[in-house]
């Protein structure tokens, strides 16, 4: 994709995070891999409502600004951890969608998606990463480890990160995580979710692999039992 189009996309998906009500104040960030060791991302301390193409930064893998008038966001190290762990990932979103964040604040994992199509799209689990102070190495390592297996994670008392081949895929995953959180909240009100059996999840994960989604073979549930 041409550089100017990628820049536009960062601006567009940034605005979408705001339009969907998934960020407030300066929350959230957007990044894409532009080339080897080069990335585009949103600036720090900026409403995602109004990131213009001229505000999008070019940074290296350490978050050093190569082009742009603003500073990179403090959570860059978490994006870097995902980009390093997953060479197939080209785009990352971070946001604070309210229902998923409700679970994050309550310390309740979103866990395994309870709807078949969601397992195909998101995998066998949406892990809850224990709280880590901003900029902590522990949090960075936990995100890197999860990225090897998953495409969406919830950070306790913080927010959600999703990633994918491109911003559209990362965006749809964010949408799905929030949608699942809303469904799960209702299921809890109705007596609790009835989860899909392992054998069925196995088949869905095979369909996921066949569709070329996710880090595939690394999913623990994909290993043949026994
Ligand atoms: Zn955040």
């Amino acid at each position: 994709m041409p550089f100017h189009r990628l820049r536009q996309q960062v601006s567009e998906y940034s605005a979408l995070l705001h339009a969907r009500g998934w960020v407030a104040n300066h929350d959230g960030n957007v990044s894409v891999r532009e080339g080897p060791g080069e990335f585009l991302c949103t600036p720090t301390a900026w409403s995602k409502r109004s990131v213009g193409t001229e505000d999008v930064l070019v940074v290296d893998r350490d978050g050093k600004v190569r082009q742009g008038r603003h500073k990179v966001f403090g959570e860059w190290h978490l994006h870097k951890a995902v980009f390093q762990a997953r060479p197939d990932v080209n785009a990352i979103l971070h946001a604070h969608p309210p229902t998923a964040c409700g679970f994050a604040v309550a310390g309740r994992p979103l866990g395994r998606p309870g709807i078949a199509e969601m397992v195909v799209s998101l995998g066998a689990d949406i892990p809850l990463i224990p709280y880590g102070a901003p900029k902590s190495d522990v949090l960075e390592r936990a995100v890197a480890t999860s990225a090897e297996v998953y495409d969406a994670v919830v950070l306790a008392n913080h927010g959600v990160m999703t990633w994918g081949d491109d911003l559209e895929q990362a965006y749809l995953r964010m949408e799905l995580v929030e949608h699942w959180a809303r469904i799960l909240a209702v299921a809890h009100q109705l007596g609790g979710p009835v989860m899909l059996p392992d054998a069925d999840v196995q088949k869905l994960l095979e369909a996921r692999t066949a569709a070329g989604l996710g880090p595939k073979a690394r999913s623990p549930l994909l290993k043949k039992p026994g």
Side-chain angles (χ1 to χ4, degrees):
M1 189 176 294
F3 183 70
H4 75 276
R5 182 64 197 121
L6 263 186
R7 212 176 248 271
Q8 265 174 2
Q9 276 204 340
V10 171
S11 165
E12 286 164 12
Y13 282 90
S14 174
L16 254 180
L17 295 183
H18 185 270
R20 296 297 302 269
W22 297 340
V23 289
N25 192 36
H26 297 151
D27 298 346
N29 29 65
V30 177
S31 69
V32 292
R33 195 194 297 270
E34 196 260 322
E38 192 157 278
F39 307 84
L40 302 186
C41 68
T42 48
T44 190
W46 206 284
S47 168
K48 299 302 149 315
R49 185 187 83 252
S50 59
V51 178
T53 51
E54 68 283 5
D55 303 314
V56 174
L57 305 178
V58 181
V59 299
D60 68 13
R61 76 177 76 249
D62 294 318
K64 196 159 170 275
V65 177
R66 286 184 176 166
Q67 201 182 315
R69 290 171 285 146
H70 314 292
K71 281 193 188 153
V72 72
F73 48 83
E75 288 158 333
W76 173 258
H77 67 121
L78 301 182
H79 288 237
K80 176 185 167 182
V82 175
F83 282 128
Q84 280 187 330
R86 290 280 299 279
D88 60 310
V89 163
N90 292 315
I92 302 174
L93 291 180
H94 167 55
H96 299 175
T99 314
C101 281
F103 280 85
V105 169
R108 300 274 294 263
L110 292 177
R112 177 184 297 178
I115 292 190
E117 286 141 338
M118 289 187 180
V119 175
V120 176
S121 298
L122 288 175
D125 191 19
I126 305 164
L128 176 65
I129 295 180
Y131 179 74
K135 303 194 180 178
S136 82
D137 293 351
V138 179
L139 184 60
E140 185 181 318
R141 279 198 298 276
V143 168
T145 305
S146 292
E148 289 178 10
V149 182
Y150 304 108
D151 290 322
V153 297
V154 177
L155 310 174
N157 297 87
H158 184 167
V160 178
M161 289 182 78
T162 58
W163 41 82
D165 294 345
D166 54 23
L167 277 174
E168 176 68 8
Q169 193 177 53
Y171 170 76
L172 292 176
R173 285 173 172 162
M174 183 68 73
E175 182 176 67
L176 212 44
V177 168
E178 178 64 358
H179 199 58
W180 168 235
R182 291 169 71 183
I183 291 167
L184 188 57
V186 174
H188 280 306
Q189 288 167 3
L190 298 173
V194 177
M195 299 315 291
L196 290 163
D198 274 359
D200 290 296
V201 170
Q202 177 74 27
K203 285 189 194 124
L204 293 166
L205 289 174
E206 284 161 11
R208 175 173 166 78
T209 301
L213 295 168
K216 342 178 218 211
R218 293 192 184 163
S219 175
L221 271 174
L222 267 176
K223 286 183 196 138
K224 291 264 179 285

